[in-house]
Amino acid sequence: AFATAGVGTQGLFETIAGAAVNRIGDFNPQAMANTVWAFATAGAAAQSLFEAIAGAALNRIGDFNPQEMANTVWAYATAGVAAETLFEAIAGA
């Protein structure tokens, strides 16, 4: 909601990123895609979050549906976060 509304503070996103990294094992593919989408849309920098989600997504790429894959790739590209291994895995899925 904050990302779509254009409202947000870096402190809020830093707190969310820290909590998300600690719980990344609980995220399903939709949660991973939605999280990086929100950060990219808000323009919130969170390198450690994007790295954690890239790693977790690699292990579950077969569980992602096409929309989740597209949203994830869009988010990484929009945020300017390199995730070559993730992109290759999605391309091969």
Side-chain angles (χ1 to χ4, degrees), residues 31-52:
M32 289 185 235
N34 289 351
T35 301
V36 290
W37 176 90
F39 275 77
T41 300
Q47 187 71 28
S48 62
L49 173 65
F50 276 78
E51 289 173 1

Side-chain angles (χ1 to χ4, degrees), residues 12-24 27 31-40 44-57 76 81 86:
L12 170 65
F13 282 95
E14 288 172 1
T15 299
I16 293 168
V21 167
N22 290 334
R23 298 192 60 195
I24 202 70
F27 282 37
M32 289 185 235
N34 289 351
T35 301
V36 290
W37 176 90
F39 275 77
Q47 187 71 28
S48 62
L49 173 65
F50 276 78
E51 289 173 1
I53 288 179
Y76 278 81
V81 176
L86 176 59

Side-chain angles (χ1 to χ4, degrees), residues 62-79:
D63 297 334
F64 277 68
N65 68 37
Q67 184 68 55
E68 292 158 350
M69 288 182 200
N71 289 353
T72 299
V73 169
W74 178 90
Y76 278 81
T78 299

